[in-house]
Amino acid sequence: MFFIMFLFGLVVGLALYLLTYVFVKKIENRRRVLTVTIIGLLSLLGSIFAAYRGDTMGYGIAFLISSLGILVVGFLLTLFEKSVVWKKSVFTFVILFVVVSSFRMYMNQVDYWIIKETKVFSEEEESYLQLLQKDPTIQGYKAFKQVVVLSLGEEMAGDNIEVLEEILPELRSKRSTIAQTKRILLSLLA
């Protein structure tokens, strides 16, 4: 986030320099650079004040970083104020730096989503599963509205039942009733 705010400060610094051309066309370059630098210093002081207050510390630090970007643009334009070619080079390199850095950050993004966990079982089903966890001697099955819970007893505790792929379409079909599902699963246990 700090790097993004620095890039934002670089763009704001260039925009401020260009705004001096829009509003006042006849001032010399030194005053233009001085205007950008003064605005950068004022934003630096404002961000330090905001960071000093406890409740706005995050915003203060973010604006501190962006004001450093404004000051960097002011410094670069001060270094190369005599030559028009160098000023254009500063603009070109800063814009290229911002574009390349933004593209690089975009390409390095994490490409997965975190989805909030939803409740899978109803309260009745959840309480029955907790009962099975506490008492592993319970054997058999119990059918709920959309779930059939199988308990294999204490000697099979920790084992898994593998449902073969050829049975899955029967279990997933909308025509399959709970009774048919029970019959299919019980035939697996036999």
Side-chain angles (χ1 to χ4, degrees), residues 120-133:
V120 178
F121 298 110
S122 68
E123 290 181 21
E124 182 184 6
E125 295 162 354
E126 189 69 39
S127 65
Y128 184 71
L129 288 173
Q130 288 177 358
L131 176 68
L132 288 177
Q133 293 293 326

Side-chain angles (χ1 to χ4, degrees), residues 15-53:
L16 288 173
Y17 186 78
L18 291 175
L19 281 175
T20 60
Y21 276 109
V22 172
F23 291 118
V24 185
K25 294 185 181 194
K26 294 190 178 184
I27 63 171
E28 57 192 33
N29 186 49
R30 183 177 300 165
R31 288 194 178 190
R32 292 181 203 283
V33 173
L34 187 62
T35 303
V36 171
T37 306
I38 287 174
I39 291 174
L41 287 173
L42 288 175
S43 67
L44 181 70
L45 291 174
S47 64
I48 290 172
F49 176 72
Y52 181 70
R53 295 183 55 202

